[in-house]
Amino acid sequence: MTLAGKHILVTAGPTHEPIDPVRVLANRSSGRQGFAVAAAAAEAGARVTLIAGPVALETPTGVQRVDVETAAELADAVFAALPADVAILVAAVADWRVEPASAKLKKGDGPPTLAFVPTRDILAELGASTSRPRLLIGFAAETERVVEQGMAKRTAKKADWIVANDVSGDVMGGARNRVHLITAGGIEDWPEAAKEEIARRLVERVGEEIG
Ligand code: CTP
C-alpha cells in the first residue's frame, strides 16, 4: 500500500491557553497517538504535515512539523497547510480559552474569575469548508457512551470517519488505546493495541479508501 503523492495533515497533542504570562489551561493529551499516525502515514509514503501542540516528542522521520501553543494557532496552521487529501485531527484542542491577563495574577488579589470564550472548532470548520480534504477524520475522546457520542460528532462536524476512544482510564498519556472506527458503513470495534498499531491500521484503511 502506498500513499505516495498524497498530502496528509495530522494534528496532535494538547493546546495551552494562557491565563496570564506564567499560567495556562491545558489537558492530559501526550500527543503519542497523533505522532504515531503521522509516522505511519509517512512510512506509507505520504507527504505529512504534523501540527503539534506542546509535547515532548521527537518528530517522526520524513514528517514536516509545525509547533503551536493555542487552539487559535492550531486552527491557523491547519488552514495554512491546506490543500490536503486527508486530514486526521487527533489533537485534544481546548474548547474554551480565556482573555489572558497581561501581567501575572497575584495571589494576594484573591482567586480570579475566569471568563471562558469558545475556541474555533477546526474539525467542524473543515467539514463545512470549500477546501475540505477528501477524507476528513476526527477523533472523539469520551468518558461515557463512547460510540453514541462518536456517531453524533461524525454527523455534527461532517466528518467522514470518527475514531472514538474511551479516555476514562489512562489512555491520555498511556501507550495503548482501544478505539471504535465509525464510518458511513457502520461501526468497527478494534481490539486494544499499542498506539502505533492503531495508527498503522488507520493509515492502511486510509490507503484503501483513497490510494
Ligand atoms: N476538535 C477540533 N477543534 C476543537 C475541538 C475539537 O478540531 N476546537 C476536533 C478534535 O481534534 C477531534 C474532534 O474535534 O478530532 C472531537 O474532539 P472532542 O474533544 O472529542 O470533541 P468536542 O468537539 O471538543 O466535544 P466535547 O468536548 O463536548 O466532547
Side-chain angles (χ1 to χ4, degrees):
M1 190 257 307
T2 178
L3 287 170
K6 306 293 186 207
H7 181 209
I8 301 194
L9 185 59
V10 180
T11 69
T15 62
H16 282 183
E17 307 303 324
I19 295 171
D20 69 12
V22 299
R23 301 180 177 94
V24 298
L25 292 165
N27 63 63
R28 293 187 192 281
S29 170
S30 66
R32 288 177 75 151
Q33 185 64 78
F35 273 57
V37 168
E43 273 164 28
R47 176 165 75 85
V48 180
T49 305
L50 170 62
I51 302 169
V55 293
L57 292 173
E58 298 265 326
T59 308
T61 308
V63 166
Q64 186 176 342
R65 174 175 178 175
V66 179
D67 284 317
V68 298
E69 290 265 332
T70 65
E73 288 168 7
L74 188 68
D76 287 344
V78 164
F79 281 89
L82 293 176
D85 299 288
V86 184
I88 309 177
L89 304 187
V90 196
V93 185
D95 291 321
W96 306 285
R97 62 179 180 83
V98 298
E99 219 46 79
S102 55
K104 186 184 167 193
L105 299 173
K106 299 301 288 179
K107 190 164 57 179
D109 294 336
T113 302
L114 299 180
F116 287 95
V117 183
T119 56
R120 289 167 65 182
D121 190 316
I122 302 156
L123 180 55
E125 281 189 28
L126 276 180
S129 160
T130 50
S131 42
R132 183 190 192 282
R134 181 171 143 205
L135 186 59
L136 180 59
I137 306 172
F139 271 62
E142 309 293 352
T143 56
E144 54 190 8
R145 296 183 290 116
V146 178
V147 170
E148 183 189 332
Q149 298 205 77
M151 288 171 71
K153 279 179 190 173
R154 180 178 168 276
T155 314
K157 302 194 188 204
K158 297 188 169 70
D160 296 299
W161 299 353
I162 288 282
V163 182
N165 63 342
D166 187 337
V167 293
S168 57
D170 69 347
V171 161
M172 281 184 126
R176 297 177 72 78
N177 204 353
R178 180 158 186 274
V179 306
H180 312 269
L181 179 67
I182 302 170
T183 71
I187 296 147
E188 292 173 27
D189 301 318
W190 291 4
E192 189 197 294
K195 287 181 175 175
E196 290 75 14
E197 182 54 34
I198 304 265
R200 274 192 290 274
R201 198 165 167 168
L202 182 63
V203 166
E204 204 172 294
R205 289 296 304 271
V206 168
E208 287 164 14
E209 191 73 16
I210 68 148

